[in-house]
Amino acid sequence: MSEKFYRALSAIDEAHSQDPNLTTITEQNAETKSIPYELHYAQKMTSYLNTYNPSASELLRLAIRAQHLRRWEVPRSSYPTTKVGYLSWRTFLKNRQADQARQICLDAGYSDGEASRVAALIRKEGLKRKTTTTTDEAAEAEEDETQILEDVACLVFLDDQFAAFEKTLDEEKVLGILRKTWGKMSDKGHRMALEIQMSDRCRELVQKALNP
């Protein structure tokens, strides 16, 4: 990795470290400690990326790390509790996070094109195009990176958030969300998802979603 990569990564993690919301993690020596939640989330994203694609590019790594950049500053409660409100919140966050990550990359020494590529990944631009046929190798590579990011985000949701999330909704809504999540993922993402260690209840819900 280049020096500018580490400069950008450090700036991204510094922003994550300012998240006032803490979570408790267990380290390898079995000791527990509290860290900012968004830093924990970002580290989880990188961990799954390393398993999924150890040779991932610098720009994809930065996009993965900045996926929830300063997200806590715009809570869900700042938008109406409706589907339209939720979608508006998600769209605003995606663009805000992409713009902030782009500036961090520029400040770290990346070119405008490189910084814009990180922003495009965070916005998941081109993700739907993967269903179309193309002979453009560069376009295919970009679409593949966007799909990797989508897969990693879904894997982190299933691994790190699903257990708490499913307790907040009725079963039918949870099953619907699981099916939508599954539909976003590639075959490789599906295989990795089925290897995640889950509680019996979470595993039961996944099986119900996949085998209605």
Side-chain angles (χ1 to χ4, degrees), residues 19-38:
D19 182 3
N21 303 295
L22 302 179
T23 189
T24 301
I25 64 170
T26 302
E27 299 184 294
Q28 290 184 340
N29 60 8
E31 292 185 358
T32 59
K33 70 175 184 179
S34 294
I35 67 170
Y37 176 76
E38 292 302 351

Side-chain angles (χ1 to χ4, degrees), residues 160-189:
D160 196 56
Q161 301 166 333
F162 178 51
F165 177 80
E166 66 90 7
K167 294 180 174 64
T168 66
L169 298 172
D170 64 64
E171 183 172 301
E172 283 306 309
K173 287 185 178 180
V174 172
L175 295 178
I177 290 168
L178 282 172
R179 290 174 187 131
K180 288 179 181 178
T181 299
W182 204 257
K184 296 176 183 178
M185 301 172 74
S186 68
D187 290 343
K188 182 173 182 177

Side-chain angles (χ1 to χ4, degrees), residues 4-167:
K4 58 188 175 184
F5 169 80
Y6 289 110
R7 286 195 294 270
L9 187 70
S10 178
I12 290 168
D13 281 354
E14 173 58 29
H16 291 324
S17 297
Q18 296 172 27
D19 182 3
N21 303 295
L22 302 179
T23 189
T24 301
I25 64 170
T26 302
E27 299 184 294
Q28 290 184 340
N29 60 8
E31 292 185 358
T32 59
K33 70 175 184 179
S34 294
I35 67 170
Y37 176 76
E38 292 302 351
L39 180 60
H40 163 72
Y41 177 86
Q43 290 171 346
K44 272 277 188 183
M45 291 284 286
T46 294
S47 177
Y48 266 102
L49 176 62
N50 288 339
T51 300
Y52 193 110
N53 184 3
S55 61
S57 69
E58 289 187 7
L59 302 185
L60 177 56
R61 288 181 177 279
L62 291 173
I64 287 279
R65 196 75 165 199
Q67 188 65 191
H68 280 184
L69 191 60
R70 294 191 175 277
R71 184 172 181 149
W72 78 89
E73 293 180 340
V74 187
R76 173 68 184 89
S77 59
S78 63
Y79 279 74
T81 55
T82 60
K83 183 176 181 179
V84 172
Y86 173 75
L87 294 175
S88 297
W89 173 67
R90 288 289 301 271
T91 298
F92 177 79
L93 280 176
K94 183 169 59 175
N95 290 326
R96 181 178 189 261
Q97 289 155 183
D99 290 344
Q100 291 182 345
R102 179 180 180 277
Q103 188 60 54
I104 285 175
C105 289
L106 289 172
D107 293 343
Y110 283 100
S111 69
D112 182 74
E114 290 169 326
S116 294
R117 174 61 182 152
V118 172
L121 281 165
I122 291 173
R123 293 189 184 98
K124 299 180 184 176
E125 293 179 7
L127 181 62
K128 294 180 181 179
R129 289 186 294 140
K130 69 185 177 64
T131 61
T132 64
T133 300
T134 176
T135 57
D136 186 332
E137 292 183 0
E140 287 180 350
E142 288 188 357
E143 289 166 14
D144 286 345
E145 284 197 323
T146 309
Q147 183 60 56
I148 290 171
L149 187 148
E150 183 70 84
D151 279 348
V152 168
C154 291
L155 289 166
V156 172
F157 165 70
L158 292 170
D159 179 22
D160 196 56
Q161 301 166 333
F162 178 51
F165 177 80
E166 66 90 7
K167 294 180 174 64

